[in-house]
Amino acid sequence: NAGVTQTPKFQVLKTGQSMTLQCAQDMNHNSMYWYRQDPGMGLRLIYYSASEGTTDKGEVPNGYNVSRLNKREFSLRLESAAPSQTSVYFCASSENFGYGYTFGSGTRLTVV
Amino acid sequence: QKEVEQNSGPLSVPEGAIASLNCTYSDRGSQSFFWYRQYSGKSPELIMSIYSNGDKEDGRFTAQLNKASQYVSLLIRDSQPSDSATYLCAVNMGEGDMRFGAGTRLTVKP
């Protein structure tokens, strides 16, 4: 039982490059989330998905897009990376809204 | 503004003592509350959830909720060096909008 799997674990991008962070869960959870974590600022919600086919903006959505490909997979895309997007990105899932989360292991992204 | 506030610490306690971690939140309508533990370089791990006023105990952990005061706390009894980590308070402020505090760093000294 893998839980929540994120890829890649580390990535270095040049300013303006694009990339997609992948996330998959095998717990049959309905809801999935993307957060970024920066020193001193805690976890901030980027996008979330209540269920397959639905996505909503969180607290800091600018510069990001998401796709809820199916119930298992929720990807995060950076179309034109900026140094301000240097962060650790976590994907999480929960049975439904209002339940506790299971987090993936994170992606450490550096934009130079 | 939807906010969750925690004292960043560091909080240092001796082994065997009680560690007390506190959190306040801004949205009076919030209904579900969580504590996560995060070791350095690792992802957050859910340790407690609480949904109604009062205390909830799970092993050495006790979560306390006071909705009138918009206050959540976590007590760790018989603290162990392995409890040394950052503890994140999280509050569900509606639908999928879970907000996290910046975390309190706890150090348990042998």
Side-chain angles (χ1 to χ4, degrees), chain A residues 33 35 37 40-43 45 48 59 90 97-101 103-106 108, chain B residues 32 34 36 38 41-46 51 88 92 95-102:
Chain A
Y33 315 84
Y35 283 84
Q37 187 173 37
M41 299 189 72
L43 288 155
L45 180 63
Y48 60 96
E59 188 183 1
F90 288 104
F97 288 161
Y99 288 75
Y101 292 177
F103 281 87
S105 59
R108 187 171 296 274
Chain B
S32 49
F34 306 88
Y36 292 81
Q38 186 174 27
K42 302 296 185 182
S43 57
E45 173 192 12
L46 178 67
Y51 299 93
L88 306 175
N92 193 330
E95 295 295 308
D97 193 3
M98 183 84 76
R99 298 292 177 113
F100 286 77

Side-chain angles (χ1 to χ4, degrees), chain A residues 27-106:
Chain A
M27 296 171 289
N28 201 35
H29 284 171
N30 288 308
S31 305
M32 298 185 72
Y33 315 84
W34 277 104
Y35 283 84
R36 59 179 289 174
Q37 187 173 37
D38 302 293
M41 299 189 72
L43 288 155
R44 290 184 292 166
L45 180 63
I46 305 171
Y47 272 92
Y48 60 96
S49 170
S51 59
E52 181 180 351
T54 68
T55 61
D56 286 286
K57 295 179 180 179
E59 188 183 1
V60 288
N62 291 343
Y64 306 95
N65 285 298
V66 291
S67 295
R68 183 74 184 268
L69 304 170
N70 49 54
K71 189 171 186 177
R72 291 186 64 247
E73 298 174 287
F74 188 38
S75 62
L76 178 72
R77 182 160 178 84
L78 286 69
E79 291 291 352
S80 179
S84 61
Q85 294 178 305
T86 293
S87 188
V88 179
Y89 290 85
F90 288 104
C91 176
S93 71
S94 65
E95 186 175 338
N96 285 299
F97 288 161
Y99 288 75
Y101 292 177
T102 300
F103 281 87
S105 59

